[in-house]
Amino acid sequence: MRGRLAVPRVRQPVTIVIALAIVSFVLALVVADRLFPLLSANNDEAVYLFQARIFRSGHLTLPADGYRDFFRPWMSSEHDQQLVLVFQPVFPALLALSDLVFGSMRVALGIIAGASVLLVYALGGELGLSSRARVIAAAIFALSPFAVIQSALYLEYLFAVALETGVLTLLLAGLRSAGGRRARRLTAAGLVYGLLVFTRPLEGLMLGVAMGLFLIVRERTLSRALRQLIWPALGAVPIVALMLAYNAQLTGSPLRFPLWAIGGNNSFGFGRRNVVGGSPLIDATFLNGLKALHQNMRSLPHWVFGSILIVPLAVHGLWQRRREPTTVLLAAIGVLFPLAYLFYWGNLLIVNGRKLIGPHYYMALLIPTVIFAAVALDRLALRRKSLATLIFVSMIAATLIELPDKIDRNDHFTDVYRAEQAAIDSVADDNAVVILPITADGSYLLHPRGWLTNDFDLRDPILYAADRGAENIELSRRYTDRRLYRLQAVEATRSPLTFRPSVREVVALKSAVLSRTISAQVPAGVTRVNAYVQTDGTNRQTCAVTPSASAARIAVQMRAGGVTVTGCTGAPLTLGTASAPATLIVGFELLTDDPKQSESRELRVWTAPEGSEIVSLNEETWRIVPRDKTSIRVIEASPDLTVTPTP
């Protein structure tokens, strides 16, 4: 009878965990469709997808020709006339395989989510947890907003956690086995570890250190610990060799990763860092790294099932297992991963993103957190079942309280993206080129509008191009058979500050003289008004203007050789223009006694000389409000600044 009763008691937890894995699979697809139909605010998603599309086409890279200017993807570089994408290939290759087998890359995300839940359950078994504790650990993992949100994204962080969990499970299974089974399991652990190193080298290194510390504690001597690593090393060697070969093929050196080849300064340690060449430099110091670490770690519990209630549970569970050698392994993960990222400047970059998709560099901390919390809940259930039930119900409530903010934040970005897509659809038809706004990081596609992408042959009915300022004149010359449009985020209201998408056709004009009258309203409190003219932020000339009837007015004449501004109190402004395309800027400084309340309003025109005539391609009106967080804004049809052609 005992044998008969034992069967369902063993099978029931497995059934529950399989159900949890199925739920995770479904949630990955549903959340992706609901929250991220046009990708998330994380720009890396589009790069992973682009790289996966390259692999799906049967190539490692693309010819760089054609991708050097207006169609340059974000986080890419050129090596040996080939376009090199920044990320390691394991995760993009998995997406490509999913598309080949299932016809969708999304399926891979669901499989990773479901497999992660099963691996957490399996790891719990190798750690000696009870069946109930293993189910609790799997449930906490599956229902954590961190896992749910990340499972819906084309990002490799959940995949890395699955690899890490797989390595730990196979390592522990191998250590408790003997003979051929031991060798096979340890070799498999090394193989999966090699994939982790290939995917995320830094996390592979940290997990390796954690496993080394565990083996030293377990075996008591360094020599015996090293002997346990022989089979894992043999398993990892082929994958590491493949990684080195891949690096050599793409960057010219086995030890040079693509991340280091895209033109920025992404090195480990502190100093001035940036993602790609031309993007803003960030001063990564120990102090601001420590602040970022604090912010990211503080936000972590809010992304785990149970919110802040998970913290005392995990601490209590760690204390209960303090004498277990495997606790060293789990605790080392909890310490080493944050410590490593303290010394990597990307730790600063994810501070803002943590509110949308979680502090994703720290996702490996889910492993010790869910294990220790499950141990605490399991032991509490043995002694005081009613209290354990109350705590679990409270954890459900806490998680439900956390969710709306995370959903709303991501919904906001999706609504913005949908509005921009609708604006494009309402204007641009087949045989068009749509210029996408430049960002502070430079002129790239896939950043930040990753869903707006092109086929590799750049023959789409609607082509998307990166804004390159006055160089866009060359784009109009290159695509004379297409209509040219430009997407911009235009100021909608001032208080609260909101923006709306605007898509306007850009038409090339050519004439001997381009004349405009520019008028600006002068708000109360303005004590002085200056007019200014400049090209591409240089050669700035200014003059005083006397307003009339609360408005300042100047006249501008642009020729192939230069520009003249009349309407100044003194002599007109004159400025020579270069022979190359340039952005001509003419505007007003509205100055007050309090410099913080001053602002500027200006007209920007892309111009280029063509013989004795001037070509202009775009006219936009801008407000520059230095006191505001969003200081530069495009305005349309606003009385703040009016521009009319002058006969």
Side-chain angles (χ1 to χ4, degrees):
M1 183 174 294
R2 287 184 180 176
R4 291 181 181 176
L5 290 175
V7 173
R9 292 173 70 181
V10 172
R11 289 183 176 176
Q12 187 179 5
V14 175
T15 303
I16 295 173
V17 172
I18 291 175
L20 283 170
I22 294 172
V23 168
S24 293
F25 176 88
V26 173
L27 276 176
L29 302 182
V30 171
V31 173
D33 180 69
R34 169 65 179 82
L35 280 185
F36 308 112
L38 299 178
L39 306 183
S40 70
N42 188 298
N43 300 314
D44 292 356
E45 271 200 285
V47 183
Y48 281 113
L49 277 175
F50 192 82
Q51 200 164 345
R53 287 172 54 205
I54 295 175
F55 294 165
R56 180 68 175 86
S57 71
H59 301 88
L60 286 179
T61 59
L62 292 175
D65 189 31
Y67 293 94
R68 292 193 177 97
D69 43 29
F70 299 101
F71 306 105
R72 174 80 174 271
W74 170 241
M75 296 187 80
S76 65
S77 64
E78 182 178 340
H79 177 73
D80 284 346
Q81 299 183 336
Q82 294 294 306
L83 186 71
V84 177
L85 276 298
V86 67
F87 295 117
Q88 297 299 102
V90 180
F91 181 66
L94 185 62
L95 296 178
L97 179 62
S98 173
D99 192 54
L100 176 66
V101 175
F102 302 106
S104 170
M105 294 186 187
R106 290 280 188 200
V107 176
L109 305 183
I111 292 174
I112 292 169
S116 299
V117 174
L118 297 176
L119 286 167
V120 168
Y121 179 78
L123 176 60
E126 296 304 326
L127 291 168
L129 273 60
S130 69
S131 295
R132 178 168 52 194
R134 295 165 67 187
V135 171
I136 293 172
I140 293 175
F141 185 93
L143 301 177
S144 289
F146 214 163
V148 173
I149 294 294
Q150 286 288 327
S151 72
L153 304 176
Y154 292 108
L155 299 174
E156 66 186 10
Y157 303 103
L158 183 59
F159 178 59
V161 170
L163 292 176
E164 289 152 3
T165 310
V167 171
L168 298 177
T169 302
L170 288 167
L171 176 70
L172 296 176
L175 291 175
R176 67 172 176 80
S177 304
R181 180 174 294 182
R182 177 187 182 87
R184 288 191 297 271
R185 289 176 173 177
L186 290 179
T187 302
L191 182 70
V192 179
Y193 178 73
L195 288 173
L196 174 63
V197 172
F198 202 174
T199 302
R200 295 192 64 76
L202 180 58
E203 295 196 8
L205 176 62
M206 291 302 100
L207 187 66
V209 174
M211 291 189 298
L213 292 173
F214 159 66
L215 288 173
I216 292 173
V217 171
R218 181 180 184 270
E219 302 297 330
R220 300 184 182 277
T221 66
L222 179 61
S223 59
R224 291 178 60 184
L226 290 174
R227 283 199 295 270
Q228 303 299 329
L229 294 176
I230 294 175
W231 287 113
L234 290 175
V237 163
I239 305 299
V240 173
L242 183 62
M243 177 187 71
L244 298 177
Y246 177 83
N247 290 348
Q249 176 67 28
L250 266 68
T251 69
S253 170
L255 299 178
R256 189 184 188 207
F257 290 88
L259 177 64
W260 302 337
I262 60 173
N265 184 357
N266 284 283
S267 58
F268 207 64
F270 302 110
R272 297 179 71 80
R273 302 285 187 268
N274 61 347
V275 180
V276 298
S279 63
L281 287 167
I282 295 177
D283 189 15
T285 65
F286 178 79
L287 181 59
N288 59 28
L290 199 61
K291 291 178 180 177
L293 173 65
H294 171 256
Q295 289 178 290
N296 289 321
M297 288 295 293
R298 189 175 63 180
S299 71
L300 182 63
H302 299 278
W303 285 89
V304 184
F305 178 79
S307 187
I308 59 175
L309 297 177
I310 201 75
V311 177
L313 282 174
V315 172
H316 185 52
L318 185 153
W319 177 255
Q320 289 176 323
R321 287 182 58 90
R322 64 190 182 279
R323 294 186 177 87
E324 296 286 340
T326 52
T327 298
V328 173
L329 177 59
L330 297 175
I333 292 173
V335 172
L336 290 172
F337 276 69
L339 184 63
Y341 280 116
L342 170 62
F343 293 91
Y344 180 60
W345 78 286
N347 184 47
L348 279 65
L349 296 182
I350 70 169
V351 167
N352 291 327
R354 78 190 192 281
K355 298 178 181 179
L356 293 160
I357 61 174
H360 44 276
Y361 283 2
Y362 302 83
M363 197 169 187
L365 272 62
L366 275 180
I367 300 172
T369 300
V370 302
I371 294 294
F372 289 139
V375 168
L377 274 174
D378 179 47
R379 302 210 177 165
L380 185 61
L382 288 173
R383 298 167 186 167
R384 301 185 65 181
K385 188 174 182 180
S386 58
L387 179 59
T389 302
L390 177 61
I391 291 175
F392 195 77
V393 171
S394 299
M395 293 173 73
I396 295 174
T399 305
L400 292 176
I401 291 171
E402 294 279 8
L403 281 176
D405 176 65
K406 296 170 175 54
I407 293 172
D408 291 345
R409 287 179 184 273
N410 285 293
D411 262 342
H412 168 72
F413 274 90
T414 297
D415 289 343
V416 170
Y417 293 164
R418 280 178 169 150
E420 290 183 341
Q421 183 65 65
I424 293 171
D425 293 341
S426 67
V427 176
D429 50 13
D430 288 355
N431 212 37
V433 178
V434 178
I435 301 172
L436 304 181
I438 192 172
T439 71
D441 288 310
S443 300
Y444 297 95
L445 289 182
L446 311 183
H447 174 32
R449 298 162 179 85
W451 83 95
L452 298 177
T453 186
N454 302 314
D455 288 336
F456 296 147
D457 60 6
L458 300 178
R459 295 180 181 177
D460 308 64
I462 297 179
L463 272 178
Y464 297 102
D467 186 356
R468 297 181 65 86
E471 292 180 32
N472 294 337
I473 292 175
E474 169 58 28
L475 187 69
S476 70
R477 292 167 176 165
R478 190 182 303 178
Y479 291 97
T480 56
D481 59 334
R482 290 178 179 253
R483 299 177 74 177
L484 199 63
Y485 298 88
R486 189 176 192 224
L487 169 68
Q488 275 286 33
V490 176
E491 179 186 280
T493 62
R494 295 189 188 178
S495 182
L497 180 62
T498 60
F499 296 87
R500 61 177 176 82
S502 171
V503 180
R504 297 172 55 199
E505 186 172 4
V506 179
V507 180
L509 300 175
K510 184 163 60 173
S511 59
V513 181
L514 187 69
S515 300
R516 296 289 185 267
T517 298
I518 306 176
S519 301
Q521 283 191 341
V522 180
V526 172
T527 56
R528 289 172 296 139
V529 178
N530 289 337
Y532 61 89
V533 59
Q534 65 188 66
T535 55
D536 288 332
T538 61
N539 302 322
R540 186 180 178 102
Q541 301 286 335
T542 63
C543 68
V545 174
T546 301
S548 174
S550 299
R553 183 175 290 105
I554 55 175
V556 183
Q557 286 192 332
M558 293 167 267
R559 293 183 174 84
V563 58
T564 301
V565 177
T566 57
C568 299
T569 303
L573 293 179
T574 59
L575 185 67
T577 55
S579 58
T583 301
L584 179 66
I585 303 173
V586 186
F588 297 95
E589 296 174 333
L590 307 177
L591 306 174
T592 66
D593 292 334
D594 181 3
K596 293 181 179 179
Q597 299 301 314
S598 300
E599 63 180 65
S600 299
R601 298 169 189 171
E602 62 188 34
L603 167 71
R604 298 185 182 186
V605 186
W606 297 328
T607 63
E610 192 168 297
S612 60
E613 296 182 306
I614 184 171
V615 177
S616 63
L617 192 60
N618 192 60
E619 294 187 22
E620 286 183 336
T621 48
W622 293 64
R623 286 205 318 135
I624 294 88
V625 190
R627 62 182 174 272
D628 290 354
K629 183 176 181 180
T630 305
S631 58
I632 302 177
R633 311 166 191 171
V634 181
I635 56 177
E636 285 183 356
S638 170
D640 288 339
L641 189 72
T642 57
V643 180
T644 56
T646 303

